Amino acid sequence: QVQLVESGGGLVQAGGSLRLSCAASGRPFSSYAMGWFRQRPGKEREFVAAIWWSGGNTYYAESVKGRFTISRDNAKNTVYLQMNSLKPEDTAVYYCAADERPLGGSSWLGRETNYDYWGQGTQVTVSS
C-alpha cells in the first residue's frame, strides 16, 4: 500500500506561482510513475502532468505546457508540481497519483484509471 499526501495549495493571484508537493510513504516510491490530475469546479477530473520513475520522461496536458513543471526527488519520496503564470481557469483540486506498473508514455499516464493510488487532493484557487 502507498499513501500519498499533497500539500502546497492555496490562494494566489493570476500570474502568480505555487509549488505543490506530494509525499509518498509505504512501498518503494522510486519504481512508480507519478501523475498530477485536477478537478475544476463542475468538471471531471483531468490529467495535468506525469513523470516516469527515473524522472527522465515527463508529460503535460496542452493547457499547462510551458507553465507547469513536474519533478521528483526519489531520495525524499516526493513529487512536485511547479505552477507558474497561473490563470483563474487553473482553479481546481489537485491530486497526485502513483502508477505501480506503468506500461506506456503519455497515452498511458494520461488515463486516471491506470493509477493505483491517490492522494486526498489540495485546493488551488487563482483569483483574477
Side-chain angles (χ1 to χ4, degrees), residues 31-112:
S31 62
Y32 296 167
M34 300 296 295
W36 285 96
F37 289 75
R38 69 184 181 187
Q39 188 164 19
R40 294 185 280 182
K43 305 284 187 181
E44 294 191 349
R45 192 156 56 185
E46 62 181 358
F47 171 74
V48 174
I51 187 166
W52 202 245
W53 66 271
S54 64
N57 292 331
T58 57
Y59 310 93
Y60 297 93
E62 284 298 322
S63 59
V64 306
K65 201 172 289 185
R67 299 188 298 123
F68 291 11
T69 302
I70 188 171
S71 61
R72 66 190 295 163
D73 185 337
N74 288 341
K76 296 182 178 179
N77 288 353
T78 301
V79 63
Y80 305 97
L81 185 68
Q82 177 67 43
M83 305 186 295
N84 298 329
S85 302
L86 282 162
K87 304 175 181 179
E89 52 263 42
D90 293 319
T91 294
V93 178
Y94 284 74
Y95 300 88
C96 74
D99 181 352
E100 284 186 297
R101 289 174 294 273
L103 299 180
S106 59
S107 60
W108 176 271
L109 294 175
R111 297 178 188 163
E112 63 175 288

